[in-house]
Amino acid sequence: VQLVESGGGTVQSGGSLRLSCGASGMTFEPYAIAWYRRAPGKDIEGVSCINSGEGADGTTHYASSVKGRFTIGDDAKHLRNKVFLQMNDLTPEDTGEYFCALQYGAGRCVPTIPRYDYWGRGTQVTVSA
């Protein structure tokens, strides 16, 4: 499995960005994709996840710090195996490197957003004050 993130950049506080995670080398089974971020000097934080793939229920979860501002979605209708993260009302505290990761299996998106097995290389998001 290969994951590639895109859509990072620099934006002013209050602005928006849309990240995309494209997956290749997939098998036809359910999976979950999660977004994580690593802020400067901090540990990796789970941001959001979604159950996707064959027969998935589309369940989503969000970290409390982004709930109401970020939306995760599955672009499978248009581009198979592609997940986006729409980020609105960004603040400087959202600055960091954002990664997507994948875990095979049904129901793997849970509120704790655990670490998944397959990871992309990340995309940088910088929010200026």
Side-chain angles (χ1 to χ4, degrees):
V1 175
Q2 291 185 327
L3 301 172
V4 179
E5 302 93 340
S6 62
T10 300
V11 65
Q12 289 187 331
S13 185
S16 299
L17 282 173
R18 184 181 176 102
L19 304 183
S20 184
C21 174
S24 60
M26 302 285 294
T27 60
F28 288 92
E29 58 183 289
Y31 57 89
I33 284 185
W35 285 96
Y36 305 82
R37 66 186 179 190
R38 181 170 53 208
K42 295 186 178 180
D43 292 334
I44 286 180
E45 173 191 18
V47 173
S48 183
C49 63
I50 183 170
N51 286 329
S52 190
E54 298 296 319
D57 61 9
T59 295
T60 59
H61 290 289
Y62 299 90
S64 57
S65 58
V66 307
K67 197 172 292 185
R69 301 186 297 121
F70 289 14
T71 301
I72 192 171
D74 190 345
D75 269 334
K77 290 182 181 179
H78 306 288
L79 286 170
R80 194 169 179 273
N81 301 337
K82 197 161 188 175
V83 168
F84 67 85
L85 183 70
Q86 178 67 41
M87 306 187 296
N88 298 329
D89 194 20
L90 288 162
T91 73
E93 288 68 37
D94 295 314
T95 293
E97 193 167 13
Y98 283 69
F99 303 86
C100 67
L102 182 146
Q103 181 71 49
Y104 280 118
R108 296 304 181 100
C109 175
V110 294
T112 55
I113 314 178
R115 301 285 180 91
Y116 289 170
D117 287 343
Y118 301 96
W119 286 69
R121 293 188 175 185
T123 185
Q124 178 67 34
V125 170
T126 302
V127 184
S128 59

